[in-house]
């Protein structure tokens, strides 16, 4: 059973004063200030229904089908709340793989050859990035769409090409290895050798590929990917399960220097999306390795999430925010829901019942108020934020959309 904390009463009383826009009798879960921060919540938390899932995929097909791309040149990124147009990036942007991955999920669901053709076209340009050394996000950019393509594309030749691109991308990513820090370099932060919690989603590519190819090279890839995740578990996860966002290290000695501010409120705060990346990535890494320390990290980061975000709610963009009008981040909730569903699959039903909690999160994320069902926005999920310290405006972004579709596709 999911315990509904006191906040439920707050949600209900405030939203009942709002305007009901949904076809159901439920009141609109618009911004709900709690004592110190802001969230969006379902007035009556409930698991996602089959009808909601169907409606969400219909919306996704309508919105995604209307987006114009030209293969390798245009990669949808996101759109501010009421903007009718996507902003795009080139292939080397960290988000370039998510739209292709959304296309693969639509193909998986419908088996419609038009989605296959579109997914192939969008993935083709990304495969060329497999040798790109300028990003630590090759797992997102190449690993995601080629991983889906290798499983879903009916052509054995295409499958082989995707598998080859994944091997090359893993080799490229592994060049970032520092044996003293026992991690893959993310970037320079504050002019120093830096690691970011988001890398929990990218390092598993090395483990996946290493396990697939085997031999001494495969073993080395598995070793590097696993050690990277263990370094994150050791240096980013606090005793209460919350996480740091970015850390600097001394690349000569391997010594940890300390936190560097990034997309969170401060260097020491807990950025909501970072927490979601952590719980999702640690769960996947545990699934791949069976490593007990990674299971512990997955359990702690997941437990922190569910202790801070009431069931059927999305959080403000940072868990340490003290502002009842703070921007929210529904993408953190969709990434967390996907990770928690995988946690249920991998770890099994536990007392915490993270899967049931995730189903209730999806009950919120698929309500028409949370989506672009009544909006000109070209994306799917609203109330996402990118980088609040730079721009507090909410919008719809491809990573939040992808993880929502993925969570709804989970078996
Ligand atoms: N990986 C960058 C972000 O989550 O914004």
């Amino acid at each position: 059973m999911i315990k509904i904390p006191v906040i439920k009463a707050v949600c209900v009383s405030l939203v009942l004063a709002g305007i009901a826009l949904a076809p159901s009798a439920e009141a609109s879960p618009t911004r709900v200030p709690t004592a110190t921060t802001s969230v969006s919540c379902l007035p009556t938390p409930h698991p996602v229904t089959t009808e909601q899932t169907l409606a969400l995929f219909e919306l996704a097909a309508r919105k995604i089908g209307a987006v114009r791309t030209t293969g390798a040149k245009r990669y949808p990124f996101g759109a501010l709340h009421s903007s009718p147009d996507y902003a795009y990036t080139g292939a080397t942007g960290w988000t370039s793989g998510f739209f292709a991955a959304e296309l693969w999920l639509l193909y998986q669901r419908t088996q419609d050859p038009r989605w296959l053709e579109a997914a192939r076209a969008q993935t083709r340009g990304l495969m060329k990035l497999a040798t790109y050394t300028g990003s630590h996000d090759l797992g997102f950019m190449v690993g995601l769409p080629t991983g889906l393509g290798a499983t879903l594309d009916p052509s054995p030749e295409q499958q082989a090409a995707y598998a080859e691109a994944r091997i090359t991308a893993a080799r490229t990513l592994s060049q970032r290895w520092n044996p003293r820090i026992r991690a893959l370099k993310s970037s320079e932060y504050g002019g120093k050798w830096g690691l970011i919690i988001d890398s929990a989603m990218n390092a598993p590519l090395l483990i996946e590929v290493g396990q697939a190819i085997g031999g001494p090279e495969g073993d080395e890839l598995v070793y590097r990917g696993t050690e990277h995740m263990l370094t994150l578990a050791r240096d980013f996860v606090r005793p209460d399960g919350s996480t740091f966002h970015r850390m600097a290290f001394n690349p000569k000695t391997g010594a940890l220097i300390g936190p560097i501010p990034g997309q969170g409120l401060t260097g020491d705060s807990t950025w909501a999306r970072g927490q979601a990346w952590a719980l999702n990535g640690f769960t996947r890494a545990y699934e791949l390795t069976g490593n007990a320390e990674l299971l512990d990290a997955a359990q702690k980061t997941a437990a922190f999430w569910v202790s801070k975000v009431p069931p059927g709610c999305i959080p403000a963009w940072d868990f340490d925010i003290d502002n009842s009008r703070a921007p929210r981040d529904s993408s953190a909730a969709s990434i967390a829901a996907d990770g928690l569903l995988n946690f249920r699959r991998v770890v099994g039903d536990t007392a915490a019942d993270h899967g049931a909690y995730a189903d209730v999160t999806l009950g919120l994320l698929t309500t028409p108020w949370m989506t672009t069902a009544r909006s000109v926005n070209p994306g799917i999920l609203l109330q996402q934020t990118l980088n609040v310290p730079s721009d507090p405006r909410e919008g719809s972004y491809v990573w939040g959309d992808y993880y929502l579709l993925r969570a709804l596709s989970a078996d």
Side-chain angles (χ1 to χ4, degrees):
M1 275 296 289
I2 293 178
K3 288 204 191 80
I4 308 296
V6 176
I7 188 173
K8 181 186 170 214
V10 177
C11 298
V12 174
S13 62
L14 289 174
V15 297
L16 286 179
I19 302 164
L21 296 172
S24 74
E26 212 163 59
S28 167
T30 50
R31 186 185 296 276
V32 179
T34 65
T36 57
T37 191
S38 69
V39 293
S40 287
C41 299
L42 275 172
T44 310
H46 62 78
V48 63
T49 63
T50 307
E51 292 71 28
Q52 282 179 283
T53 300
L54 285 172
L56 196 284
F57 272 97
E58 272 169 26
L59 173 70
R62 177 160 65 80
K63 294 284 181 171
I64 292 172
V67 174
R68 279 201 294 279
T69 59
T70 52
K73 300 229 166 44
R74 281 158 71 83
Y75 295 87
F77 173 74
L80 291 175
H81 185 83
S82 351
S83 167
D85 299 314
Y86 260 140
Y88 291 83
T89 71
T92 56
W94 75 273
T95 57
S96 59
F98 293 115
F99 190 76
E102 289 182 68
L103 292 167
W104 281 116
L105 291 185
L106 284 174
Y107 173 61
Q108 178 182 41
R109 191 169 181 90
T110 62
Q111 296 296 300
D112 184 332
R114 283 175 304 169
W115 294 125
L116 174 61
E117 197 185 319
R120 280 178 173 168
Q122 195 76 4
T123 304
R124 202 171 298 128
L126 297 166
M127 290 162 71
K128 297 182 191 136
L129 286 176
T131 54
Y132 178 59
T133 54
S135 175
H136 65 96
D137 281 319
L138 287 190
F140 286 140
M141 297 150 69
V142 183
L144 264 190
T146 56
L148 287 162
T151 313
L152 297 173
D153 196 306
S155 154
E157 291 78 27
Q158 290 286 340
Q159 288 174 14
Y162 298 136
E164 197 53 44
R166 289 171 67 72
I167 295 170
T168 305
R171 285 177 178 146
T172 305
L173 197 53
S174 81
Q175 292 171 27
R176 294 175 164 266
W177 175 249
N178 180 307
R180 286 164 295 279
I181 300 165
R182 301 167 89 84
L184 307 160
K185 183 176 182 179
S186 298
S187 193
E188 295 275 318
Y189 300 131
K192 300 188 175 71
W193 196 107
L195 262 190
I196 192 166
I197 193 65
D198 318 20
S199 64
M201 300 296 284
N202 287 286
L205 175 66
L206 269 61
I207 309 174
E208 291 164 5
V209 168
Q211 289 176 343
I213 66 176
E217 186 190 13
D219 290 349
E220 183 64 20
L221 288 174
V222 171
Y223 171 75
R224 292 184 182 189
T226 306
E227 287 297 319
H228 180 97
M229 297 301 293
L230 289 169
T231 297
L232 292 180
R234 189 181 60 230
D235 292 332
F236 282 67
V237 182
R238 302 184 189 97
D240 68 354
S242 65
T243 51
F244 290 97
H245 178 207
R246 307 197 309 187
M247 289 283 191
F249 291 78
N250 182 326
K252 295 204 174 70
T253 65
L256 174 65
I257 296 171
I260 303 281
Q263 283 154 271
L265 183 65
T266 68
D268 290 316
S269 70
T270 302
W271 178 48
R273 192 157 71 248
Q275 187 72 23
W277 290 139
L279 77 86
N280 195 312
F282 284 131
T283 302
R284 175 65 179 148
Y286 168 66
E287 179 182 8
L288 290 166
T289 62
N291 183 293
E293 284 179 61
L294 295 176
L295 173 60
D296 184 56
Q299 280 170 328
K300 279 162 90 172
T301 50
F304 181 84
W305 180 279
V306 302
S307 76
K308 290 289 174 189
V309 186
C313 296
I314 63 164
W317 63 285
D318 191 292
F319 287 117
D320 292 287
I321 200 85
D322 183 11
N323 175 355
S324 65
R325 304 299 299 170
R328 299 151 293 196
D329 188 4
S330 65
S331 77
S334 72
I335 295 160
D338 176 66
L340 292 170
L341 288 175
N342 202 33
F343 188 98
R344 170 167 63 187
R345 199 171 60 77
V346 173
V347 181
D349 274 334
T350 65
D353 209 352
H354 291 328
Y357 172 99
D359 288 337
V360 175
T361 303
L362 295 175
L364 169 68
L365 298 182
T366 52
T367 60
W369 317 282
M370 287 297 301
T371 73
T372 58
R374 300 182 177 94
S375 163
V376 293
N377 188 296
I380 301 168
L381 179 62
L382 295 172
Q383 298 186 24
Q384 303 184 46
T385 40
L386 165 63
N387 182 356
V388 174
S390 305
D391 186 343
R393 290 176 292 179
E394 294 177 348
S396 181
Y397 295 97
V398 285
W399 60 88
D401 291 354
Y402 166 69
Y403 283 98
L404 175 57
L405 293 183
R406 185 161 104 156
L408 292 170
S409 301
D411 41 31

